[in-house]
Amino acid sequence: MTQIVDEIRTLIEVLYDDPEDFLRGPHGIFGSRPPGELMATEEGQLELLRFLRAAAQGVYMPPNEIDRDFKPYTDADIRFIDEHDGRVEDLPFEEGLLAQSQGKGPNDNEPIDKDYTTMNVDPLLDQAITHLEGQIAQLRSLKGSGPEIATVVARTHEVFGDQGVLWLVEHNQALQATPLDLVSQGRSDQVLTLLDQIKYGVCV
């Protein structure tokens, strides 16, 4: 465990100007517990290490001054840009919604084409079916897996509930990969780190 502790200390020194303050202060990611408390157990050290690795890799970083003071956007801040005949019109939120409700595209004053037929819809359905069949095959391959994959599957169930295992076979923007592909490559730590972040509300 000395190697884990050394890595934790190194990452804290890289990420934080005052490492001791980080370890002593309450942290929302860990249920308002000081990160230093996690150092007392092996499970806590692994949880802290996953968090710090994610921060070092840019998957998650502590909020800066701008993020800390961020105020949620209001309807007044949202504008629709409508282009027509070479003219660009800046529409307030409510007018933009009205234009969309009347069947106009975001950059077009013409009605959206709704002339869909079986000929151009069926290939879309076939593509979706092929995709789902591939996912089903991947899920079947998980049955009887070893402890590493079992841990990941259990964690997805803990985070997402009964449908959690489906998360493993969908492409993930944060990971830039399908979680199951990373697990099969022996990179379960990255997947577990992201699941912990989702669990604690760091990433969605």
Side-chain angles (χ1 to χ4, degrees):
M1 296 305 294
T2 303
Q3 184 177 356
I4 291 179
V5 173
D6 288 344
E7 185 178 352
I8 287 173
R9 294 249 176 219
T10 299
L11 287 171
I12 292 174
E13 289 175 3
V14 169
L15 293 168
Y16 296 93
D17 294 332
D18 190 341
E20 293 305 319
D21 180 65
F22 168 75
L23 286 169
R24 289 193 303 266
H27 202 299
I29 300 302
F30 308 115
S32 296
R33 292 178 298 163
E37 283 187 12
L38 300 176
M39 299 291 286
T41 65
E42 180 179 343
E43 182 180 355
Q45 289 174 8
L46 291 173
E47 181 179 354
L48 181 56
L49 181 60
R50 284 195 295 270
F51 168 79
L52 292 169
R53 281 176 174 171
Q57 294 168 3
V59 177
Y60 166 73
M61 284 296 290
N64 57 26
E65 294 293 331
I66 295 175
D67 293 331
R68 266 193 292 271
D69 298 331
F70 177 77
K71 293 181 176 59
Y73 292 115
T74 66
D75 288 353
D77 298 314
I78 302 173
R79 312 289 291 186
F80 285 77
I81 304 301
D82 186 43
E83 298 178 7
H84 183 63
D85 295 335
R87 294 180 292 108
V88 176
E89 186 177 1
D90 185 4
L91 299 176
F93 180 70
E94 291 184 0
E95 290 182 29
L97 287 182
L98 179 61
Q100 284 193 335
S101 70
Q102 292 173 344
K104 297 177 181 178
N107 297 312
D108 194 355
N109 280 337
E110 298 301 321
I112 297 173
D113 181 15
K114 297 184 189 268
D115 186 22
Y116 295 119
T117 65
T118 301
M119 183 177 296
N120 55 28
V121 169
D122 280 357
L124 299 177
L125 294 174
D126 289 337
Q127 185 178 3
I129 290 169
T130 300
H131 177 68
L132 290 173
E133 286 174 343
Q135 289 182 321
I136 291 170
Q138 285 183 302
L139 291 173
R140 284 191 175 129
S141 72
L142 295 179
K143 297 181 74 173
S145 300
E148 183 178 21
I149 292 181
T151 298
V152 175
V153 172
R155 188 68 57 82
T156 60
H157 180 77
E158 179 183 331
V159 174
F160 297 112
D162 292 341
Q163 302 299 314
V165 73
L166 298 177
W167 180 84
L168 289 172
V169 294
E170 290 288 351
H171 181 81
N172 188 278
Q173 188 66 30
L175 296 171
Q176 290 296 299
T178 300
L180 185 57
D181 288 343
L182 294 181
V183 173
S184 65
Q185 296 166 17
R187 297 159 64 188
S188 298
D189 279 354
Q190 293 182 34
V191 177
L192 291 171
T193 294
L194 181 58
L195 285 167
D196 282 344
Q197 290 175 343
I198 295 171
K199 178 180 178 182
Y200 294 116
V202 177
C203 182
V204 294

